[in-house]
Amino acid sequence: MMTRMVGMKYAALCCCFLALAACSKKTQPNLDAGINGGPGVGQAAPGSKADFTTNVGDRVFFLQDQSTLTPEGTDTLTKQGGWLKKYAQVTVQVEGHADERGTREYNIALSARRATTTRNFLIGQGVAANRISSIAYGKERPVALCDAEQCYSQNRRSVTVITGGTN
Amino acid sequence: MKTRLRVTLLVLLALAFAGPAFAVTGTVNSGKIDPLPIAVTPFIASAGAEKDAAAVSGIVASDLARSGYFKPLPPESFIEKIAVFDQNPNFVSWQQVKTQALVVGQVSVTGDRMTVAFKLYDVNTQAFLAGSSFTAPAKLSRRLAHKVADMIYNKMTGFAPYFDTRVVFVDESGPKNARIKKLAMMDQDGFNVRTLTNGKEILLTPRFSPTSQEITYAAIGTEASRVYIYNIDTGQKEIVGDFPNMSFAPRFSPDGQKVIMSLESEDGRNANIFELDLRSKQTRQITNVPAINTAPSYSPDGSRITFESDRGGTQQIYVMGADGSNQQRVSFGNGRYSTPVWSPDGKYIAFTKQGEGKFGIGVMAPDGSGERVLTEGFHNEGPTWSPNSRVLMFFRDTQGENGGSQLWSVDISGYNEQQVQTPGFSSDPAWSPLLK
């Protein structure tokens, strides 16, 4: 079990370098902020989309064919919950996604489970249910395109997208 | 040599009884279909119809070749030039070019109407086997050619026709991480491609109604997936049902009166199978199991439904009564089984099989026996049956950032794998019934 968790941390680190995607820890290099033209780590205006993406982390990753949260995912969503409670006017849509190594119909349902897990966790953190909508994309919107586990692991994700309430 | 004799014998049997022949029982990856040499002569043209006549005979030859059961001989090798439709061919000259069957045809155009007539002969016995003529608006010339090819195919193999059919599919464009997915339709041979939606929604799993006039599909827009019915004649689309949660994986019932689909459960964790009566708008829940139950497909008589479920831990194929009774798992091989589709003749269920890093397309009897994988590789998915239950079309992904899905077909014997040419990347094919 211990080895497995360590392995997952490596996977999370890997994706930061490979995907130019937002990462879940302040201490990790963030390549996304610069691309979006936003301020660097720690410099995003508090309560802004960039603040959320950069300083909180907008996505969590799932193991193959799983929709339960990893310890890393729980950590990220706890921070998301805290941030959303602080900025109570913000509304979000949770996107569920699956990797490409599954069939289309099943992946729609699997990605819906991931979105639900994420949404339910945020509600459990005290974020009002009516602030969180969700959508399932199945395998239709991968972010990493390399036909290998290092990419598939980034595509099995839920992304919390801010839809309103920020400046 | 042995194979040749066997196939020849089967063809002769087909000719004798005109019943189902080619009971292909051979194992996959050994042997092959030995195609029957056939001479499709350039069709005789009425004045001004020369181009049409050449096109029609070309389409007939191409259909027959694609089926895998025929080898059209090159017209350059023909000794006799057929110039009069009603004149008996010189069979000795056709025996010399080593063809077993001979097709003679005629194309005439009057106003905007085209008539195509043909005759089919057995060269060895010098017997007239079949002949007919078809008339239609000239713009439907490809369909006239498909009808001729269908009659020849049926007469020579004993199999029901399938060339005069269409395929609905998803046309894909744009980068892999932001694919534009449009509803599209084409003839089964890849011609007459039309895109029917604008690409603003991610369009998935289109399926024909039994009349081929309507298509049901799922689409993800700004909201979660919804099931639609699209009318091909009017271009109108409407949402099927009024459900609070996501709906997906739709398919028509064999009588066209109902749509079966998956609905997401209220708690967002599961999906169950529901049937919506299109007239009464009544919804009936068919499965009620806390799992992902999806990809439902009716048996051709409408009495049973096959579907996939992960209720046992991984995706497997199940069969149940159309009312949800007697839900039985039928897939028991190694790996995960999904996207089951009942064959139009009721004898098989086709599926996607995942395991050991590969995705294959296979068939089995509805009780799960006799499983055969017809093709496998990096990623093959989503089979659909030709209306005569002889050919499966599916999509195959190519790897890499610039890779994508393409349509392929394979004979139920596992032979004659061929790509179906489409303008761009394509996925989720679904074959129409034989057109009226």
Side-chain angles (χ1 to χ4, degrees), chain A residues 86-104:
Chain A
K86 190 171 173 188
Y87 302 103
Q89 74 290 358
V90 170
T91 55
V92 294
Q93 182 176 57
V94 175
E95 296 178 350
H97 296 274
D99 69 27
E100 306 95 294
R101 302 307 280 161
T103 47
R104 197 172 315 286

Side-chain angles (χ1 to χ4, degrees), chain A residues 101 104 113 116 139-140 147, chain B residues 181 268-269 381 400 428:
Chain A
R101 302 307 280 161
R104 197 172 315 286
R113 277 182 177 166
T116 296
K139 61 173 172 177
E140 308 307 321
D147 299 317
Chain B
K181 301 186 108 184
R269 299 214 51 84
E381 184 181 337
D428 294 9

